[in-house]
Amino acid sequence: MRAEDGDDALETLFLPFIDGTLAWPSDGALFLRARDGWPLHQRAWPGLRCEQSFRPAADALERSGLSLAEEDETSRVPLVLVLPPRQRDESRALFARAIARCAPGGRVVACVPNNEGAKSAEADLARIAGPVGNVSKNKCRVFWTAPFEGPADADLAAQWAQADAPRPIADGRFVSRPGVFAWDRIDAASRLLAEHLPHDLAGHAADLGAGYGYLTSELLTRCPGIRAVDLYEAERRALDLARVNLAPFAERVALQFHWHDVTRGIDGRFDVIVCNPPFHAQGRGDRPDIGRRFIAVAAQALKPGGRLWLVANRHLPYEAELDVHFGNVRTVAQEGGFKIVDAMKSREGRTA
């Protein structure tokens, strides 16, 4: 999301540097959970490097010519900027890592919208970094540490550094971590889709928006005729978990993992596609356009006669898009607020 589309947190994050409250360092800065927007282009920010695990946001940063950093880098810099996520364990872990990446005498600067827990996030940073300053504007709070030599509470910082570490869920069947979609459970919609998958699905499959790998695991367990699966997932943290969760299948089927924004299209020709498409971006409002784009991409990627098995909230308006792209569409089930759709591509292979 760009600032001109309402990214007030991004704009507010840079206010202390624009108004002179804080000085921009001459020898580099790191921006954790960075996203593109006009505040990044209103003036030069020497030495800025951006880190982002969500592929659409990472692609936008690259298209704007900004330098991307890898998550496993350990170099320390005099300034670390942070746009903390909503999930609190994930946010605390990010604060701990920001402090670890901050050089002696450096600062951590963060911004959170007021309605997403700004005061709590500020208090969390203060607990491990010491006193913070702040400014409120645009219904957001930007807050920053004093120059420090290390965490004010080293034990707590070490504890929080592991707050979003991968851990077993679902009685040990899967590994997940705070911050990924439905991180601590099996998503009810995905479970419903899995329960309706026919056992005779076969060939080369794709999982669009694969998350930590639940649907692919169910597909491979229920459908012995599946010989290969390509997983497409925009959140790299989730895709890394899917590699772990699907390792037991690696000797039986060919698995490919793609850190990819499905809305930009996919390569390959598939017999089967399973999908629980996202209907939010990084905001709170419904984005049915994302699901419609997933449907169009699936239609383009399926072979003639290929089948899309999709689950969605019942209220989401996908039927017209399905009818445009598929020769045969049927609603298999409607339960618990969800709908299961089986859509077959025409054998002539035509798609709008």
Side-chain angles (χ1 to χ4, degrees):
M1 180 185 294
R2 296 183 64 87
E4 58 262 41
D5 294 328
D7 196 342
D8 294 324
L10 179 63
E11 178 181 355
T12 308
L13 179 68
F14 282 85
L15 283 180
F17 303 101
I18 295 296
D19 67 17
T21 301
L22 299 177
W24 188 267
S26 60
D27 49 352
L30 176 65
F31 187 179
L32 301 180
R33 301 295 165 86
R35 49 187 186 250
D36 191 29
W38 67 261
L40 290 177
H41 307 285
Q42 61 186 316
R43 52 161 278 191
W45 306 108
L48 178 64
R49 302 192 72 216
C50 301
E51 182 186 298
Q52 176 56 258
S53 62
F54 185 58
R55 191 59 192 249
D59 287 345
L61 290 163
E62 275 197 311
R63 288 194 298 270
S64 288
L66 294 158
S67 176
L68 293 185
E70 295 297 328
E71 191 171 343
D72 58 1
E73 293 181 17
T74 58
S75 59
R76 302 176 76 182
V77 294
L79 172 64
V80 181
L81 303 168
V82 189
L83 288 174
R86 294 189 184 97
Q87 209 286 333
R88 196 164 191 185
D89 287 335
E90 185 186 8
S91 175
R92 285 175 165 177
L94 197 64
F95 281 143
R97 193 155 67 84
I99 288 174
R101 294 293 305 274
C102 195
R107 295 181 190 268
V108 173
V109 182
C111 186
V112 178
N114 293 339
N115 64 359
E116 294 181 14
K119 289 185 177 180
S120 295
E122 180 182 357
D124 280 347
L125 182 59
R127 286 181 66 185
I128 57 173
V132 299
N134 69 70
V135 168
S136 292
K137 193 168 183 179
N138 302 322
K139 298 182 179 179
C140 298
R141 182 179 295 243
V142 56
F143 45 96
W144 57 87
T145 67
F148 61 87
E149 300 301 312
D153 188 331
D155 290 339
L156 187 59
Q159 177 184 330
W160 283 3
Q162 297 301 312
D164 72 338
R167 67 206 63 182
I169 65 163
D171 297 324
R173 184 180 171 195
F174 300 102
V175 171
S176 187
R177 65 188 302 186
V180 305
F181 172 69
W183 80 268
D184 58 350
R185 63 193 184 279
I186 294 173
D187 173 62
S190 295
R191 186 194 295 274
L192 184 64
L193 176 56
E195 290 171 352
H196 285 85
L197 291 175
H199 297 290
D200 62 352
L201 296 176
H204 192 171
D207 184 347
L208 307 188
Y212 62 72
Y214 168 75
L215 267 180
T216 292
S217 175
E218 288 291 316
L219 179 69
L220 293 175
T221 300
R222 295 166 183 266
C223 306
I226 297 295
R227 56 179 172 77
V229 184
D230 282 38
L231 293 88
Y232 295 86
E233 171 54 46
E235 178 50 64
R236 185 168 52 196
R237 299 169 77 248
L239 193 66
D240 290 343
L241 296 165
R243 295 177 193 274
V244 175
N245 289 325
L246 296 171
F249 297 98
E251 292 186 3
R252 177 164 73 83
V253 297
L255 297 170
Q256 295 289 329
F257 300 86
H258 307 273
W259 182 44
H260 185 72
D261 177 5
V262 169
T263 67
R264 303 191 66 169
I266 63 175
D267 295 325
R269 301 290 284 170
F270 302 101
D271 302 288
V272 177
I273 291 178
V274 294
C275 184
N276 180 0
F279 59 96
H280 299 289
Q282 290 185 312
R284 291 183 180 273
D286 281 5
R287 288 283 308 277
D289 59 299
I290 299 175
R292 288 194 291 265
R293 178 60 183 154
F294 269 55
I295 291 166
V297 168
Q300 292 163 1
L302 281 166
K303 299 175 183 177
R307 294 167 71 181
L308 168 66
W309 280 83
L310 174 143
V311 63
N313 288 50
R314 289 177 65 176
H315 74 277
L316 292 172
Y318 293 157
E319 283 71 19
E321 194 75 18
L322 288 161
D323 289 340
V324 165
H325 292 288
F326 289 90
N328 186 358
V329 179
R330 66 188 183 102
T331 299
V332 176
Q334 297 190 63
E335 300 176 24
F338 306 112
K339 55 190 173 188
I340 306 298
V341 175
D342 171 23
M344 180 179 290
K345 186 172 179 178
S346 68
R347 296 197 177 274
E348 292 78 18
R350 293 192 304 269
T351 158

